[in-house]
Amino acid sequence: MASVAASAFFPVPSSASTTSSSSSTASAKPSSISLGKGPDSLDSRGLIAKSVWLWLRRLASEGQCPESHEGQRVQGRVENRQAKVEDGRSVLPSSSAPRTFYNQLPDWSVLLAAITTIFLAAEKQWTLIDWKRGGPDMLTDAFGLGKIIENGLIYRQNFSIRSYEIGADQTASIETLMNHLQETALNHVRCAGLLGNGFGSTPEMSKRNLIWVVTKMQVLVEHYPSWGDVIEVDTWAGGSGKNGMRRDWHVRDSQTGQTIMRASSNWVMMNKSTRKLSKFPEEVRAEIRPYFMDRVPIIDEDNRKLPKLDDDTADHVRSGLTPKWSDLDVNQHVNNVKYLGWILESAPISMLESHELASFTLEYRRECGRDGVLQSLTAVSADCSAGPAELPIECQHLLRLEGGSELVKGRTEWRPKKHGPFPAGSP
């Protein structure tokens, strides 16, 4: 095929004409060589054509050559190096053609590898470039996991629901969705270039040994994704009062755009050493204010007062809950998602079987260390054991240390499951 392609550019002369041309060329002076009259011509068209011709010849010869027992390819056009006898002495033949740029071109595999390396390096430099505010939207993760949109004010990331993230209802657990919210928040800070030494802390916060702690979380779940679904999470930040920050999330189905969940949270700063709340330093405010989005909260704030809950008013109590080492984050306190799991520990099984969590509001009062022993208290607004309910259920929750200090107070709302409870042992 290479020979056929080459002949389209270079008519192959006959043997007679070749001999005649060779003798005439040998007797001619270099100045008498006319441009464009043979394969050795040096005009631009001849240079391009000759390079293509030589490459095709090389490919053809390499494709027809067997491999030696050492695994090396024997070049079909390599000259015969066996000794010849001239005038009674042994000599090696000289090369039939001078070593020029054309006959020393690299193999196609080497050339393609070089081109691929150049393109990959260029792509990496582009994807890892520092984002500048006011620039165009760009992909900020080299593997396509997340990107900055809306002039750098919103971070978007996709997640695929894994088999180990679904529960007995064959849908993603609420803890899975909450972990995705936390992941996108941290990635937003990192991709905006504001990640300091702490867990989500900015450089100015790190200088002052400050960390973020959540004080309130509101979540509305419209439906739960299933195994294999891909969800799209958008997150952005804004101001909240004099010493706080608000962060919102909008979770959608990446294929249909249907809303899966909306969430809003309030955050304040705490000194990592003293564990006391801190005011909002002006240096930190100036650092993050350009990334605040002027937008109303995605959820109307639930300002209803959470009722007092104790042993006398609680319907269900679960004691002896202790944090594991894996429950601690890098700031040496229990991750806020774990508190939700502890709260649900005291929810009645009958309600979990017939209803699904539709919304919740949590107010964080105090952090839990690794040596804490906790109690989970729940008060239910209806009798869940009286058969399958068709009405929503509201619950009040309290998570406290066994010594009595309140950690988290909350309210949850539950709706009947559309598909009904799954029987035990169902796939």
Side-chain angles (χ1 to χ4, degrees), residues 183-197:
E183 180 70 10
T184 53
L186 291 173
N187 287 340
H188 185 194
V189 176
R190 181 188 63 180
C191 292
L194 292 177
L195 190 63
N197 297 327

Side-chain angles (χ1 to χ4, degrees), residues 198-202 204-215 243-245 266-281 284 329-334 339 364-369:
F199 195 52
S201 300
T202 67
E204 289 294 334
M205 290 176 63
S206 298
K207 292 178 183 179
R208 294 162 177 79
N209 205 26
L210 299 176
I211 59 176
W212 291 110
V213 291
V214 60
T215 58
N243 293 311
M245 179 187 72
N266 294 331
W267 300 75
V268 296
M269 279 176 281
M270 182 180 74
N271 188 285
K272 188 175 180 180
S273 300
T274 64
R275 318 307 286 187
K276 293 183 179 180
L277 298 182
S278 170
K279 292 183 178 181
F280 214 125
V284 177
D329 59 25
V330 297
N331 291 323
Q332 295 299 310
H333 66 192
V334 175
Y339 291 106
Y364 296 83
R365 304 294 180 85
R366 183 176 174 179
E367 65 173 340
C368 176

Side-chain angles (χ1 to χ4, degrees), residues 136-162:
D137 295 347
M138 62 168 292
L139 190 67
T140 57
D141 192 296
F143 296 97
L145 298 179
K147 60 182 178 181
I148 294 285
I149 61 175
E150 297 288 337
N151 291 326
L153 300 181
I154 296 180
Y155 178 80
R156 174 174 293 172
Q157 185 170 351
N158 288 0
F159 297 91
S160 177
I161 303 301
R162 312 296 183 182

Side-chain angles (χ1 to χ4, degrees), residues 5 70 72 213 286 305 336 343 368 424:
E70 293 88 1
Q72 298 179 345
V213 291
K305 185 177 180 180
N336 67 82
I343 282 177
C368 176

Side-chain angles (χ1 to χ4, degrees), residues 118-189:
I118 293 172
F119 272 102
L120 289 177
E123 181 184 18
K124 184 175 181 181
Q125 289 297 323
W126 172 252
T127 55
L128 297 182
I129 189 174
D130 290 336
W131 175 84
K132 301 298 183 182
R133 189 170 184 270
D137 295 347
M138 62 168 292
L139 190 67
T140 57
D141 192 296
F143 296 97
L145 298 179
K147 60 182 178 181
I148 294 285
I149 61 175
E150 297 288 337
N151 291 326
L153 300 181
I154 296 180
Y155 178 80
R156 174 174 293 172
Q157 185 170 351
N158 288 0
F159 297 91
S160 177
I161 303 301
R162 312 296 183 182
S163 59
Y164 52 82
E165 295 175 328
I166 63 175
D169 295 331
Q170 302 182 9
T171 57
S173 64
I174 187 62
E175 290 90 344
T176 291
L177 298 179
M178 295 296 292
N179 282 326
H180 291 160
L181 301 188
Q182 180 172 278
E183 180 70 10
T184 53
L186 291 173
N187 287 340
H188 185 194
V189 176

Side-chain angles (χ1 to χ4, degrees), residues 1-12 52-62 64:
M1 179 179 292
S3 300
V4 174
S7 64
F9 290 97
F10 306 102
V12 180
V52 174
W53 178 59
L54 289 173
W55 280 22
L56 291 174
R57 284 188 57 192
R58 182 164 187 149
L59 283 176
S61 62
E62 289 181 355
Q64 296 171 1

